Amino acid sequence: ILLGYTITNEDFFKVPGIDYLKLRASYGQMGNDQVAFDRNNNGVIDAGELQEYAFLSAYGLGQYPINGVVATTLQETILANPNFTWERANNYNVGLDATLFNRFDLTLEYFQNRRDQILIQKTGSTPASSGISSLLPPTNAGIVTNRGFEFALNYNGEAVGDWRFRAGINGGYARNKVVFMDEIPGAPDWQRMEGRPLRAYLVFQSEGAFRDQAAIAENKIDYSGVTNQLLPGDLKIKDHDGDGKITADDAVRGNKNITPTFNFGATAEIRYKNFDLNLLFQGATGAAFFIQTESGDIGNYLKWSYDNRWSIDNPSDRYPRLASRGDTYYTGGNFGNNSHFLFSKDYVRLKNIE
């Protein structure tokens, strides 16, 4: 459904400086039949993840000893869901287009997308002790919303002699939010996916490093669940729940994932007679990503890691000591997912000049 109203076509609308003004709105519903389980959480449908036959039970062959003889067995590997269907997206959009002072072209848009009937397995509310969590069929129960805005402003300069100048800026902001994803009921609120962006990072918060043995002696937090012995240069982890010890409950789900929330660009054109110069700038903000390498005995360290490290000659209370092939609690295992290795993806670059 599309609606548009060019208000400058009306006789009563005579506003100096507004040469053109159009208001518009739209609503649409779309379906997605490429329903899948994103098991590796990479946002791509990989081999074996598509669930086009989820309305059927799946069986697999196995082996089991019966009366002392190994027999071939047939077992149900996943239950059927005869009612599963497409994902559904409801899209809303409002915007305006305008020309101002016969020089500026302006476009503003606000959009909202609600995607429901997302295919998930209800493993969160089904305890593993039930023995059937791996057999659960796909269910159209997931819900995710996405909201944001876009804008574009272009300036068409008036020619001054042999000179001509044009410029423009544009940008778009979008942030999604998980509304329902069937999570574990006992999970702490600060670790839940609901209310946060899809695939937001769950990490332990870094608070610097233990500079020396004296800093370790002053420490009041119990690290026994993390390491048998703290050493100078080890990473400090924030006791988020305040229980006096570092446990899995201290991991925090943030508001960033690998996808930027704001993308922007700027263009400029300068023309003189038969010569012209065109510039294109591009940037993005709001995303983060992990940089962790298996270094040491197996390979070189990144220069940043080497330059920003704790060492005996250069002790630091900000950067931890280097690890060899993940041999520390903060580079391997459950506590390797920490904010020290989570870096901003914000950037601005001159993409093109000609």
Side-chain angles (χ1 to χ4, degrees):
I1 300 174
L2 300 172
L3 295 174
Y5 179 34
T6 306
I7 193 171
T8 46
N9 287 342
E10 303 292 346
D11 294 334
F12 65 82
F13 191 86
K14 302 296 181 184
V15 179
I18 301 181
D19 307 301
Y20 176 80
L21 179 60
K22 180 180 180 179
L23 308 178
R24 48 188 169 80
S26 66
Y27 166 76
Q29 186 178 94
M30 298 184 296
N32 175 25
D33 64 343
Q34 298 295 300
V35 286
F37 291 146
D38 188 11
R39 293 188 176 91
N40 57 8
N41 205 33
N42 65 353
V44 179
I45 299 177
D46 298 315
E49 293 184 340
L50 196 63
Q51 301 296 311
E52 66 270 45
Y53 299 113
F55 62 94
L56 299 172
S57 293
Y59 296 87
L61 297 176
Q63 290 183 330
Y64 193 82
I66 300 176
N67 297 326
V69 179
V70 177
T72 300
T73 60
L74 184 67
Q75 59 188 18
E76 196 170 26
T77 58
I78 191 168
L79 301 176
N81 177 9
N83 300 315
F84 103 109
T85 184
W86 291 11
E87 294 180 6
R88 182 176 59 191
N90 293 287
N91 303 300
Y92 307 86
N93 179 284
V94 293
L96 66 85
D97 302 303
T99 299
L100 309 175
F101 303 103
N102 202 32
R103 285 287 176 268
F104 296 93
D105 295 321
L106 174 67
T107 297
L108 297 175
E109 295 195 34
Y110 170 81
F111 63 87
Q112 178 176 329
N113 170 284
R114 179 182 173 89
R115 184 176 295 274
D116 55 22
Q117 299 183 172
I118 298 174
L119 207 63
I120 64 173
Q121 280 180 301
K122 289 191 174 181
T123 54
S125 57
T126 305
S129 59
S130 67
I132 64 170
S133 58
S134 63
L135 304 177
L136 293 175
T139 305
N140 296 103
I143 304 174
V144 175
T145 60
N146 190 30
R147 299 179 180 179
F149 63 86
E150 296 178 349
F151 69 89
L153 178 63
N154 295 294
Y155 171 71
N156 300 302
E158 184 177 2
V160 179
D162 295 326
W163 290 90
R164 182 71 182 263
F165 176 73
R166 295 180 180 177
I169 57 173
N170 62 82
Y173 173 87
R175 180 181 289 275
N176 64 55
K177 181 177 69 173
V178 174
V179 178
F180 180 76
M181 200 55 74
D182 192 58
E183 301 185 73
I184 300 173
D189 290 341
W190 57 86
Q191 293 184 355
R192 297 182 66 84
M193 291 185 290
E194 293 176 2
R196 295 178 175 85
L198 191 65
R199 302 185 185 91
Y201 294 113
L202 179 65
V203 298
F204 293 91
Q205 304 299 303
S206 167
E207 291 193 318
F210 292 101
R211 181 181 181 88
D212 47 33
Q213 195 63 43
I216 295 176
E218 295 173 359
N219 171 60
K220 305 299 183 183
I221 305 299
D222 181 7
Y223 277 75
S224 61
V226 179
T227 180
N228 294 327
Q229 180 184 9
L230 286 173
L231 299 173
D234 279 353
L235 186 77
K236 291 182 179 180
I237 296 177
K238 181 178 180 180
D239 178 23
H240 185 83
D241 61 3
D243 65 352
K245 54 186 177 181
I246 304 301
T247 66
D249 286 343
D250 291 313
V252 178
R253 193 173 301 277
N255 290 313
K256 289 186 177 183
N257 53 27
I258 200 171
T259 305
T261 55
F262 183 63
N263 294 274
F264 58 90
T267 61
E269 178 187 359
I270 303 173
R271 183 180 296 273
Y272 176 72
K273 292 185 177 180
N274 293 326
F275 298 93
D276 62 81
L277 174 66
N278 292 276
L279 303 173
L280 172 59
F281 291 89
Q282 186 183 62
T285 64
F289 70 124
F290 275 103
I291 298 181
Q292 287 177 299
T293 60
E294 192 175 14
S295 304
D297 293 342
I298 196 172
N300 295 330
Y301 295 101
L302 297 176
K303 185 177 186 302
W304 184 92
S305 300
Y306 183 82
D307 292 341
N308 299 280
R309 76 190 193 282
W310 180 98
S311 66
I312 296 177
D313 297 330
N314 185 29
S316 171
D317 56 9
R318 180 179 179 184
Y319 301 110
R321 59 189 174 89
L322 295 176
S324 179
R325 304 191 69 172
D327 62 355
T328 67
Y329 64 84
Y330 52 87
T331 56
N334 295 332
F335 298 92
N337 288 329
N338 58 73
S339 60
H340 178 73
F341 299 103
L342 191 60
F343 292 82
S344 170
K345 286 183 63 179
D346 296 353
Y347 74 93
V348 178
R349 63 171 176 168
L350 176 59
K351 185 177 181 179
N352 189 46
I353 180 171
E354 59 181 12

